[in-house]
Short mmCIF file of all heavy atoms in Angstrom, two decimals:
data_model
loop_
_atom_site.label_atom_id
_atom_site.label_comp_id
_atom_site.label_asym_id
_atom_site.label_seq_id
_atom_site.Cartn_x
_atom_site.Cartn_y
_atom_site.Cartn_z
N VAL A 714 135.60 67.83 12.65
CA VAL A 714 135.00 66.90 13.57
C VAL A 714 133.67 66.61 13.00
O VAL A 714 132.78 67.47 12.85
CB VAL A 714 134.83 67.46 14.93
CG1 VAL A 714 134.13 66.48 15.87
CG2 VAL A 714 136.30 67.69 15.60
N HIS A 715 133.38 65.38 12.60
CA HIS A 715 132.29 64.98 11.74
C HIS A 715 131.51 63.89 12.52
O HIS A 715 132.04 62.86 12.97
CB HIS A 715 132.71 64.38 10.38
CG HIS A 715 131.64 64.23 9.41
ND1 HIS A 715 131.21 65.26 8.58
CD2 HIS A 715 130.86 63.17 9.12
CE1 HIS A 715 130.25 64.77 7.75
NE2 HIS A 715 129.96 63.47 8.10
N ASP A 716 130.24 64.06 12.62
CA ASP A 716 129.29 63.09 13.18
C ASP A 716 128.62 62.22 12.15
O ASP A 716 128.06 62.86 11.17
CB ASP A 716 128.27 63.70 14.10
CG ASP A 716 128.89 64.39 15.32
OD1 ASP A 716 129.96 63.90 15.80
OD2 ASP A 716 128.44 65.42 15.77
N GLU A 717 128.56 60.96 12.29
CA GLU A 717 128.16 60.03 11.26
C GLU A 717 126.74 60.29 10.70
O GLU A 717 125.86 60.75 11.38
CB GLU A 717 128.05 58.60 11.95
CG GLU A 717 127.53 57.49 11.00
CD GLU A 717 127.40 56.18 11.73
OE1 GLU A 717 127.13 56.24 12.96
OE2 GLU A 717 127.53 55.17 11.06
N CYS A 718 126.75 60.17 9.33
CA CYS A 718 125.43 60.35 8.63
C CYS A 718 125.46 59.34 7.46
O CYS A 718 126.00 59.66 6.36
CB CYS A 718 125.20 61.78 8.10
SG CYS A 718 123.78 61.99 7.14
N ASN A 719 125.00 58.22 7.69
CA ASN A 719 125.06 57.11 6.74
C ASN A 719 124.41 57.46 5.42
O ASN A 719 125.06 57.23 4.36
CB ASN A 719 124.34 55.85 7.30
CG ASN A 719 124.49 54.64 6.38
OD1 ASN A 719 125.55 54.24 6.01
ND2 ASN A 719 123.44 54.17 5.92
N GLY A 720 123.32 58.12 5.46
CA GLY A 720 122.52 58.48 4.14
C GLY A 720 123.34 59.31 3.34
O GLY A 720 123.41 59.15 2.10
N SER A 721 124.01 60.36 3.85
CA SER A 721 124.79 61.24 3.07
C SER A 721 126.22 60.79 2.86
O SER A 721 126.79 60.75 1.73
CB SER A 721 124.78 62.65 3.68
OG SER A 721 125.60 63.58 2.89
N ASP A 722 126.89 60.44 3.96
CA ASP A 722 128.30 60.09 3.85
C ASP A 722 128.57 58.95 2.97
O ASP A 722 129.58 58.96 2.17
CB ASP A 722 128.80 59.75 5.28
CG ASP A 722 128.80 60.84 6.30
OD1 ASP A 722 128.64 61.98 5.86
OD2 ASP A 722 128.89 60.63 7.45
N VAL A 723 127.65 57.91 3.02
CA VAL A 723 127.95 56.70 2.23
C VAL A 723 127.09 56.72 0.90
O VAL A 723 127.67 56.33 -0.20
CB VAL A 723 127.54 55.42 3.01
CG1 VAL A 723 127.79 54.19 2.24
CG2 VAL A 723 128.38 55.39 4.28
N PHE A 724 125.88 57.16 0.98
CA PHE A 724 124.97 56.93 -0.21
C PHE A 724 124.69 58.30 -0.90
O PHE A 724 124.00 58.29 -2.03
CB PHE A 724 123.67 56.34 0.25
CG PHE A 724 123.86 54.89 0.66
CD1 PHE A 724 123.94 54.61 2.05
CD2 PHE A 724 123.94 53.86 -0.23
CE1 PHE A 724 124.05 53.22 2.49
CE2 PHE A 724 124.15 52.57 0.18
CZ PHE A 724 124.23 52.25 1.47
N GLY A 725 125.14 59.40 -0.40
CA GLY A 725 125.02 60.61 -1.17
C GLY A 725 123.69 61.31 -1.09
O GLY A 725 123.32 62.07 -1.95
N SER A 726 122.85 60.97 -0.08
CA SER A 726 121.52 61.62 0.04
C SER A 726 121.73 63.10 0.08
O SER A 726 122.59 63.62 0.78
CB SER A 726 120.79 61.12 1.29
OG SER A 726 119.66 61.80 1.60
N ASP A 727 120.83 63.88 -0.57
CA ASP A 727 121.05 65.24 -0.76
C ASP A 727 120.24 66.18 0.19
O ASP A 727 120.04 67.32 0.00
CB ASP A 727 120.75 65.74 -2.20
CG ASP A 727 119.25 65.69 -2.55
OD1 ASP A 727 118.47 65.13 -1.78
OD2 ASP A 727 118.95 66.45 -3.57
N ILE A 728 119.60 65.53 1.28
CA ILE A 728 118.75 66.26 2.23
C ILE A 728 119.62 66.97 3.20
O ILE A 728 119.13 67.84 4.00
CB ILE A 728 117.80 65.32 2.91
CG1 ILE A 728 116.61 66.16 3.48
CG2 ILE A 728 118.42 64.40 3.97
CD1 ILE A 728 115.53 65.35 4.07
N CYS A 729 120.89 66.71 3.26
CA CYS A 729 121.77 67.35 4.24
C CYS A 729 123.17 67.64 3.59
O CYS A 729 123.45 67.16 2.53
CB CYS A 729 121.91 66.52 5.47
SG CYS A 729 122.66 64.92 5.26
N THR A 730 123.98 68.28 4.31
CA THR A 730 125.28 68.72 3.82
C THR A 730 126.44 67.87 4.36
O THR A 730 127.63 68.18 4.15
CB THR A 730 125.61 70.11 4.15
OG1 THR A 730 125.59 70.25 5.63
CG2 THR A 730 124.53 71.05 3.57
N CYS A 731 126.07 66.67 4.95
CA CYS A 731 127.12 65.95 5.68
C CYS A 731 128.33 65.47 4.75
O CYS A 731 129.38 65.73 5.03
CB CYS A 731 126.49 64.69 6.40
SG CYS A 731 125.41 65.24 7.63
N ARG A 732 128.00 64.78 3.62
CA ARG A 732 129.11 64.33 2.73
C ARG A 732 129.87 65.57 2.15
O ARG A 732 131.07 65.48 2.16
CB ARG A 732 128.64 63.40 1.69
CG ARG A 732 129.82 62.78 0.80
CD ARG A 732 129.29 61.85 -0.23
NE ARG A 732 130.53 61.41 -1.04
CZ ARG A 732 131.23 60.40 -0.85
NH1 ARG A 732 131.02 59.61 0.20
NH2 ARG A 732 132.17 60.12 -1.67
N PRO A 733 129.15 66.50 1.62
CA PRO A 733 129.97 67.61 1.14
C PRO A 733 130.89 68.35 2.16
O PRO A 733 132.03 68.65 1.80
CB PRO A 733 128.89 68.62 0.63
CG PRO A 733 127.73 67.83 0.28
CD PRO A 733 127.73 66.68 1.33
N TYR A 734 130.38 68.52 3.32
CA TYR A 734 131.22 69.07 4.40
C TYR A 734 132.32 68.13 4.80
O TYR A 734 133.51 68.62 5.11
CB TYR A 734 130.34 69.43 5.63
CG TYR A 734 130.65 70.68 6.24
CD1 TYR A 734 129.67 71.27 7.14
CD2 TYR A 734 131.78 71.34 6.01
CE1 TYR A 734 129.98 72.53 7.72
CE2 TYR A 734 132.14 72.67 6.56
CZ TYR A 734 131.19 73.14 7.39
OH TYR A 734 131.40 74.43 8.01
N LEU A 735 132.08 66.83 4.74
CA LEU A 735 133.15 65.80 5.09
C LEU A 735 134.24 65.95 4.05
O LEU A 735 135.43 66.01 4.32
CB LEU A 735 132.51 64.40 5.08
CG LEU A 735 133.53 63.29 5.33
CD1 LEU A 735 134.36 63.39 6.60
CD2 LEU A 735 132.85 61.96 5.23
N ILE A 736 133.83 65.95 2.75
CA ILE A 736 134.80 66.14 1.67
C ILE A 736 135.56 67.42 1.78
O ILE A 736 136.84 67.45 1.58
CB ILE A 736 134.11 66.06 0.27
CG1 ILE A 736 133.40 64.68 0.14
CG2 ILE A 736 135.13 66.34 -0.90
CD1 ILE A 736 134.34 63.56 0.14
N GLN A 737 134.95 68.50 2.15
CA GLN A 737 135.64 69.78 2.27
C GLN A 737 136.66 69.59 3.36
O GLN A 737 137.78 70.13 3.33
CB GLN A 737 134.70 70.91 2.64
CG GLN A 737 135.37 72.30 2.69
CD GLN A 737 134.54 73.31 3.34
OE1 GLN A 737 133.58 73.09 3.96
NE2 GLN A 737 135.06 74.56 3.32
N GLY A 738 136.25 68.88 4.49
CA GLY A 738 137.21 68.73 5.60
C GLY A 738 138.40 67.99 5.12
O GLY A 738 139.57 68.22 5.61
N ILE A 739 138.16 66.98 4.30
CA ILE A 739 139.35 66.20 3.86
C ILE A 739 140.20 66.99 2.91
O ILE A 739 141.48 66.94 3.02
CB ILE A 739 138.76 64.94 3.06
CG1 ILE A 739 138.11 64.00 4.06
CG2 ILE A 739 139.90 64.21 2.31
CD1 ILE A 739 137.46 62.86 3.38
N GLU A 740 139.59 67.78 2.01
CA GLU A 740 140.46 68.61 1.14
C GLU A 740 141.22 69.64 1.93
O GLU A 740 142.43 69.83 1.66
CB GLU A 740 139.45 69.41 0.16
CG GLU A 740 139.03 68.55 -0.97
CD GLU A 740 138.44 69.39 -2.17
OE1 GLU A 740 139.02 70.55 -2.40
OE2 GLU A 740 137.50 69.07 -2.76
N GLU A 741 140.66 70.33 2.85
CA GLU A 741 141.36 71.24 3.65
C GLU A 741 142.52 70.58 4.43
O GLU A 741 143.61 71.16 4.65
CB GLU A 741 140.35 72.09 4.56
CG GLU A 741 139.41 72.88 3.84
CD GLU A 741 140.09 73.98 2.91
OE1 GLU A 741 141.16 74.51 3.39
OE2 GLU A 741 139.50 74.38 1.90
N SER A 742 142.22 69.47 4.96
CA SER A 742 143.21 68.64 5.71
C SER A 742 144.43 68.37 4.85
O SER A 742 145.59 68.44 5.23
CB SER A 742 142.66 67.35 6.24
OG SER A 742 141.67 67.70 7.23
N ILE A 743 144.17 67.85 3.62
CA ILE A 743 145.27 67.56 2.60
C ILE A 743 146.08 68.81 2.33
O ILE A 743 147.25 68.82 2.37
CB ILE A 743 144.69 67.02 1.37
CG1 ILE A 743 144.03 65.68 1.56
CG2 ILE A 743 145.77 66.95 0.27
CD1 ILE A 743 143.28 65.09 0.48
N LYS A 744 145.43 69.91 2.08
CA LYS A 744 146.10 71.22 1.77
C LYS A 744 147.02 71.62 2.94
O LYS A 744 148.18 72.02 2.73
CB LYS A 744 145.17 72.28 1.51
CG LYS A 744 144.38 72.19 0.11
CD LYS A 744 143.25 73.18 0.00
CE LYS A 744 142.48 72.99 -1.31
NZ LYS A 744 141.34 73.99 -1.44
N GLU A 745 146.49 71.49 4.18
CA GLU A 745 147.30 71.91 5.28
C GLU A 745 148.52 70.96 5.49
O GLU A 745 149.64 71.42 5.77
CB GLU A 745 146.41 71.90 6.59
CG GLU A 745 146.94 72.83 7.64
CD GLU A 745 146.72 74.29 7.25
OE1 GLU A 745 145.66 74.61 6.61
OE2 GLU A 745 147.61 75.11 7.56
N ALA A 746 148.32 69.69 5.26
CA ALA A 746 149.48 68.74 5.41
C ALA A 746 150.50 69.05 4.30
O ALA A 746 151.68 68.92 4.55
CB ALA A 746 148.92 67.35 5.27
N GLN A 747 150.03 69.36 3.06
CA GLN A 747 150.97 69.70 2.02
C GLN A 747 151.82 70.98 2.30
O GLN A 747 152.84 71.20 1.72
CB GLN A 747 150.31 69.76 0.68
CG GLN A 747 149.69 68.37 0.13
CD GLN A 747 148.96 68.48 -1.08
OE1 GLN A 747 148.26 69.54 -1.34
NE2 GLN A 747 149.13 67.54 -1.96
N LYS A 748 151.26 71.85 3.14
CA LYS A 748 151.99 73.08 3.47
C LYS A 748 152.96 72.84 4.71
O LYS A 748 153.59 73.82 5.10
CB LYS A 748 151.02 74.22 3.86
CG LYS A 748 150.16 74.68 2.63
CD LYS A 748 149.43 75.93 3.05
CE LYS A 748 148.25 75.62 4.04
NZ LYS A 748 147.37 76.80 4.23
N GLY A 749 153.03 71.58 5.15
CA GLY A 749 153.96 71.29 6.27
C GLY A 749 153.33 71.11 7.53
O GLY A 749 153.93 70.80 8.56
N GLY A 750 152.01 71.38 7.60
CA GLY A 750 151.23 71.08 8.90
C GLY A 750 150.68 69.73 8.86
O GLY A 750 151.29 68.72 8.44
N ALA A 751 149.40 69.65 9.31
CA ALA A 751 148.71 68.41 9.40
C ALA A 751 147.26 68.58 9.22
O ALA A 751 146.71 69.72 9.41
CB ALA A 751 149.00 67.64 10.71
#
């Protein structure tokens, strides 16, 4: 569950962890789906 952060999510600002955590969430979601879940 991710709350919008334009600076990091879109432009990669490094003052927060928003985009890296979003990417991690996407990666973990993909892995779970590939195991038969979602």
Side-chain angles (χ1 to χ4, degrees):
V714 175
H715 190 90
D716 294 328
E717 178 183 27
C718 176
N719 182 63
S721 178
D722 295 344
V723 179
F724 293 99
S726 173
D727 74 343
I728 198 171
C729 62
T730 59
C731 294
R732 183 178 175 93
Y734 222 162
L735 176 60
I736 297 298
Q737 184 196 10
I739 293 172
E740 281 197 36
E741 295 298 327
S742 293
I743 293 169
K744 292 174 184 176
E745 207 67 40
Q747 289 179 325
K748 292 189 293 185

